[in-house]
Amino acid sequence: MLYTSTRDKTLRVTSSEAITRGISADGGLFVPCDIPKLSLQDLQDMIPMSYIQRAKKILSLYLTDFTPEEIDACVSGAYREGKFDSPKVAPLHRLTDNVDILELFRGPTCAFKDMALQLLPYLLTTASKKAAPDKQIVILVATSGDTGKAALEGFKDVPNTRILVFYPENGVSPMQKLQMCTQEGDNVAVCAIQGNFDDAQSGVKRIFTDERVGQKLAENGLMFSSANSINWGRLVPQIVYYCSAYTDLLESGTVKAGEPMNVVVPTGNFGNILAAYYAREMGVPIDRLICASNENNVLTDFLTSGTYDRNRTFYTTASPSMDILISSNLERLLFHLSGEDDTLVRTWMSALSKDGTYTVTADVLDKIRTIFSAAAADDDKTAGTIRKTYETYNYLSDTHTGVAIAVCQAYRAETGDCKPTVVASTASPYKFARSVLTALNGKAPEADDFDLSAILSEQTGTKIPAPLASLRDKTVRFTGSSAIADMEQRVYDMLGI
Ligand SMILES: *Cc1c(COP(=O)(O)O)cnc(C)c1O
């Protein structure tokens, strides 16, 4: 199977090239030329399989230039026993008789980014051996909090790679910041930037596509790749857990073969929900994809009106990983839904960067509406939902998952559509202990996040995940902060070139 670019559909690259390059030279994103299909029999055959076996099956459909042995080595390394604190890796937790929470936060950094970022270093090093054999790979990351830590943890001490992470100085939780700034490993660096996530992401994208910078790296035997969710190697692992979740619903008898489920995803950069879209296109019986946003509801507006408009107030919310106004992965959806019209995609994307807004055609909007629903929940609504979910179902959710549960309930009440539903749960509540405690009790005491975690644990009888508990004793290694304009220089400093 080959991949093309959302901005030049004549391009053809292998999956190794797509993963190694991260982004196409024309500024577009790599997408599969054809989406492989799964039959109902395939899904039923997956019932007795482990998560590793399920992942091998799905990945082998997309990464056709990897040998079966390579895929086996990648997947078995990423999801091996002990890395995730559930033997099922991405288990379902039953909330009600037909709402299941898909727990994607059981990995080493306690956020769903681990699902992809534990695997990406394996995919990238395997791919770059084929596509760029004598280059050292430099991973540049812009993070709204969770990607940075998950990428650092995934790439730490991986031979032939360097990783640099930029995060918005005031846009991540104290726990997220500590997770990044205490990162161990000889090939890692972390730097705050004086701006928000969109500034960080635009800055990284600019450096990444600047030929002059690329030249300078090449002279030093280095080349950029990306661990952001624009990299196909980030998306493809995420398709697996939607297939796996449906398989688990088959196994539990919640759905009969072919009976559809709905999926609710707390959304920021549109990566996670796009993976669900690919699963749906593959033939996994998904009826509606329900996109949940916080106050930064640019996607809710877009998916219901067809107009994307980032010219609006940026809110800092209790769900910081969704505080995003430019959802990069939407470009892939637009390419597919426009009938692969790269000219239209280019027009929309240049309008977005020039004016901050574009409107899709009526035809594309129609297609969006047949697949997607969207709604937003503000911090108050989310806090109320976290409290009620705990009181009613004895289930403690983080703030991002709280947004999704709130939207799930609102969608059901409004539409009466109560199909079996999977709600993606994207972080441990202990990553956002202050917000979660405040949601439960109306307030949180003046204390640091470790003490707050201890209180939360005591109050709810739930366990603090070991990777977060151990942070307290780690040394802070990275304290630097940079103006947006100096990001390029920071890259050189960190690489020593
Ligand atoms: C990254 C993240 C999201 C948003 O996921 P996208 O793929 O960017 O839409 C939601 N919740 C948490 C906890 C995250 O880390």
Side-chain angles (χ1 to χ4, degrees):
M1 173 198 300
L2 292 170
Y3 291 75
T4 188
S5 163
T6 51
R7 298 193 194 178
D8 174 10
K9 69 175 177 190
T10 63
L11 192 76
R12 290 289 177 275
V13 300
T14 62
S15 66
S16 296
E17 287 171 285
I19 292 170
T20 306
R21 291 195 215 161
I23 188 169
S24 181
D26 50 47
L29 308 186
F30 292 116
V31 285
C33 293
D34 312 286
I35 297 174
K37 298 289 177 213
L38 278 177
S39 66
L40 284 178
Q41 190 58 49
D42 289 329
L43 289 163
Q44 281 171 310
D45 291 346
M46 281 164 60
I47 291 176
M49 293 185 189
S50 67
Y51 192 84
I52 288 181
Q53 289 170 318
R54 291 174 183 178
K56 276 197 262 187
K57 177 165 174 87
I58 307 299
L59 289 179
S60 63
L61 300 173
Y62 282 99
L63 310 180
T64 47
D65 60 329
F66 284 52
T67 66
E69 293 73 26
E70 285 170 338
I71 291 183
D72 180 47
C74 291
V75 173
S76 304
Y79 303 119
R80 70 173 175 266
E81 222 184 300
K83 278 224 181 164
F84 288 74
D85 81 351
S86 162
K88 294 196 71 114
V89 180
L92 288 178
H93 176 99
R94 178 127 292 203
L95 197 66
T96 72
D97 62 1
N98 71 358
V99 176
D100 284 84
I101 306 284
L102 174 59
E103 295 189 336
L104 303 172
F105 57 81
R106 303 296 205 96
T109 76
C110 309
F112 98 97
K113 304 293 195 290
D114 289 328
M115 296 303 304
L117 281 163
Q118 283 298 310
L119 182 55
L120 180 68
Y122 290 97
L123 297 180
L124 192 59
T125 48
T126 309
S128 69
K129 263 185 222 140
K130 300 176 197 287
D134 35 52
K135 286 266 178 7
Q136 198 177 54
I137 303 287
V138 177
I139 305 292
L140 215 51
V141 180
T143 184
S144 57
D146 293 326
T147 300
K149 175 60 186 179
L152 289 161
E153 197 56 38
F155 280 96
K156 113 183 137 186
D157 293 330
V158 172
N160 261 327
T161 68
R162 306 281 301 270
I163 171 160
L164 319 173
V165 172
F166 290 104
Y167 69 92
E169 199 159 50
N170 299 313
V172 303
S173 82
M175 204 57 117
Q176 289 176 318
K177 184 169 175 174
L178 198 60
Q179 276 188 303
M180 289 189 276
C181 294
T182 58
Q183 178 65 43
E184 290 156 3
D186 289 334
N187 61 338
V188 306
V190 176
C191 183
I193 66 139
Q194 292 140 20
N196 63 30
F197 170 70
D198 289 320
D199 298 322
Q201 176 160 265
S202 307
V204 161
K205 216 170 161 182
R206 207 166 40 240
I207 295 170
F208 207 90
T209 47
D210 187 330
E211 274 176 32
R212 207 175 31 83
V213 184
Q215 192 65 38
K216 180 161 168 135
L217 259 71
E219 285 160 16
N220 289 277
L222 302 164
M223 83 178 263
F224 279 135
S225 189
S226 161
N228 275 94
S229 60
I230 53 173
N231 192 320
W232 180 252
R234 270 287 294 280
L235 264 175
V236 71
Q238 300 185 351
I239 300 171
V240 176
Y241 50 73
Y242 290 108
C243 304
S244 177
Y246 187 78
T247 303
D248 284 343
L249 289 187
L250 279 177
E251 187 175 15
S252 69
T254 310
V255 292
K256 291 196 218 38
E259 195 187 329
M261 64 176 180
N262 287 335
V263 172
V264 187
V265 186
T267 300
N269 223 351
F270 210 75
N272 201 0
I273 196 166
L274 186 72
Y277 167 81
Y278 281 115
R280 188 180 186 277
E281 290 300 298
M282 290 175 78
V284 177
I286 297 175
D287 186 24
R288 297 204 72 78
L289 298 172
I290 301 164
C291 176
S293 301
N294 62 24
E295 280 107 315
N296 296 299
N297 59 356
V298 61
L299 283 168
T300 312
D301 289 349
F302 172 68
L303 294 171
T304 48
S305 74
T307 295
Y308 196 96
D309 188 357
R310 64 150 306 191
N311 303 307
R312 59 178 72 212
T313 310
F314 176 89
Y315 297 103
T316 300
T317 73
S319 42
S321 302
M322 295 158 65
D323 290 345
I324 292 175
L325 291 181
I326 304 178
S327 299
S328 315
N329 268 298
L330 198 55
E331 182 168 342
R332 288 187 160 109
L333 182 75
L334 297 178
F335 181 76
H336 293 303
L337 295 187
S338 66
E340 318 209 327
D341 192 331
D342 53 356
T343 311
L344 267 180
V345 172
R346 278 200 308 273
T347 311
W348 293 330
M349 291 305 121
S350 71
L352 178 64
S353 67
K354 204 163 130 278
D355 310 319
T357 180
Y358 61 88
T359 300
V360 297
T361 58
D363 173 53
V364 169
L365 179 59
D366 275 350
K367 286 190 189 137
I368 288 173
R369 286 187 174 148
T370 62
I371 303 174
F372 289 89
S373 295
D378 64 16
D379 279 356
D380 279 350
K381 177 84 193 154
T382 300
T385 302
I386 291 172
R387 181 171 49 75
K388 266 192 243 137
T389 303
Y390 181 68
E391 287 169 1
T392 314
Y393 306 112
N394 195 30
Y395 187 75
L396 192 62
S397 81
D398 92 293
T399 46
H400 304 75
T401 310
V403 171
I405 296 173
V407 165
C408 173
Q409 290 170 341
Y411 170 84
R412 289 179 155 225
E414 195 176 303
T415 62
D417 172 9
C418 292
K419 280 186 201 72
T421 300
V422 165
V423 179
S425 172
T426 49
S428 158
Y430 285 94
K431 276 195 104 159
F432 306 95
R434 178 178 303 276
S435 299
V436 172
L437 257 186
T438 309
L440 294 184
N441 303 336
K443 58 181 185 327
E446 273 311 311
D448 71 15
D449 272 44
F450 293 108
D451 291 335
L452 294 176
S453 294
I455 296 167
L456 186 60
S457 172
E458 172 100 19
Q459 179 176 335
T460 60
T462 55
K463 245 181 102 225
I464 307 174
L468 297 181
S470 67
L471 278 180
R472 185 167 235 169
D473 304 321
K474 297 222 160 123
T475 315
V476 172
R477 296 179 64 202
F478 302 102
T479 54
S481 161
S482 166
I484 296 157
D486 298 335
M487 285 172 69
E488 182 182 329
Q489 187 54 47
R490 288 291 91 75
V491 172
Y492 301 143
D493 295 347
M494 292 191 275
L495 291 172
I497 60 174

